[in-house]
Amino acid sequence: MKPTVYIETSVVSYLTARPSRDIVTAAYQAITREWWNGASERFELVSSGLVVTEAGAGDPVAARSRLEALQGIRLLDATADAEALSQSLLEQGAVPHTAVEDAAHIALAATGSADFLLTWNFRHMANAVMRSRIEHACRKAGYDAPVICPPNELRGSNNGQDTT
């Protein structure tokens, strides 16, 4: 069985964006595209209606590209359990009250039993300081927290062959 990866909006945005002149952003875009190629062979990719909503916002041409990238990816249900966990993440300070959508992504991934949450959001999600708070809040609610990481951390070796 393949590990399950929840695809958060920032990943789709970097995947489909026009190449950036900013060296860091350009690197994130390249890493994302490299990871995306063949990802579905190594992982079960999932996302959510929240990602679809976020991806569909903004410039219509860019939104269309983001939505096309999400085609065929199974969407996790926004359940009452996910809503309750999202609230718990906010109430316990695992995610700031100003980052309601970030708490929802984490909750959807956790209640949907995703092994990983793939994101470029270092502020509230893929953040070493926040990690223990997120994991504690998830455990307290009876869920395993997904490993929250950017695409470059979700590469590895498979029988000695690079899986990037």
Side-chain angles (χ1 to χ4, degrees), residues 96-151:
H97 286 279
T98 56
V100 173
E101 291 85 2
D102 295 345
H105 288 300
I106 295 165
L108 286 160
T111 60
S113 300
D115 299 298
F116 300 95
L117 188 162
L118 205 65
T119 183
W120 284 111
N121 180 332
F122 296 113
R123 183 173 230 170
H124 304 128
M125 289 195 268
N127 178 315
V129 173
M130 306 299 281
R131 183 173 295 134
S132 63
R133 295 179 197 166
I134 292 168
E135 290 172 353
H136 174 52
C138 288
R139 271 194 311 275
K140 189 173 178 181
Y143 298 98
D144 291 329
V147 174
I148 303 172
C149 62

Side-chain angles (χ1 to χ4, degrees), residues 2-156:
K2 298 181 205 178
T4 304
V5 178
Y6 177 96
I7 304 298
E8 186 265 335
T9 315
S10 63
V11 173
V12 178
S13 294
Y14 278 109
L15 176 67
T16 61
R18 282 180 269 146
S20 176
R21 291 183 190 183
D22 177 82
I23 191 166
V24 173
T25 302
Y28 289 174
Q29 290 172 325
I31 290 166
T32 302
R33 289 180 183 120
E34 180 182 300
W35 183 86
W36 194 265
N37 292 331
S40 63
E41 295 168 10
R42 299 184 317 273
F43 303 102
E44 179 188 357
L45 304 180
V46 298
S47 199
S48 67
L50 175 57
V51 171
V52 171
T53 299
E54 291 175 339
D59 175 72
V61 174
R64 188 169 31 259
S65 293
R66 291 188 296 266
L67 293 173
E68 286 173 6
L70 291 167
Q71 288 294 313
I73 293 177
R74 180 171 63 90
L75 301 181
L76 300 176
D77 293 328
T79 62
D81 289 343
E83 176 60 31
L85 179 55
S86 180
Q87 279 301 120
S88 292
L89 288 161
L90 295 166
E91 290 168 4
Q92 294 177 44
V95 178
H97 286 279
T98 56
V100 173
E101 291 85 2
D102 295 345
H105 288 300
I106 295 165
L108 286 160
T111 60
S113 300
D115 299 298
F116 300 95
L117 188 162
L118 205 65
T119 183
W120 284 111
N121 180 332
F122 296 113
R123 183 173 230 170
H124 304 128
M125 289 195 268
N127 178 315
V129 173
M130 306 299 281
R131 183 173 295 134
S132 63
R133 295 179 197 166
I134 292 168
E135 290 172 353
H136 174 52
C138 288
R139 271 194 311 275
K140 189 173 178 181
Y143 298 98
D144 291 329
V147 174
I148 303 172
C149 62
N152 58 313
E153 290 186 18
L154 197 52
R155 301 187 292 190

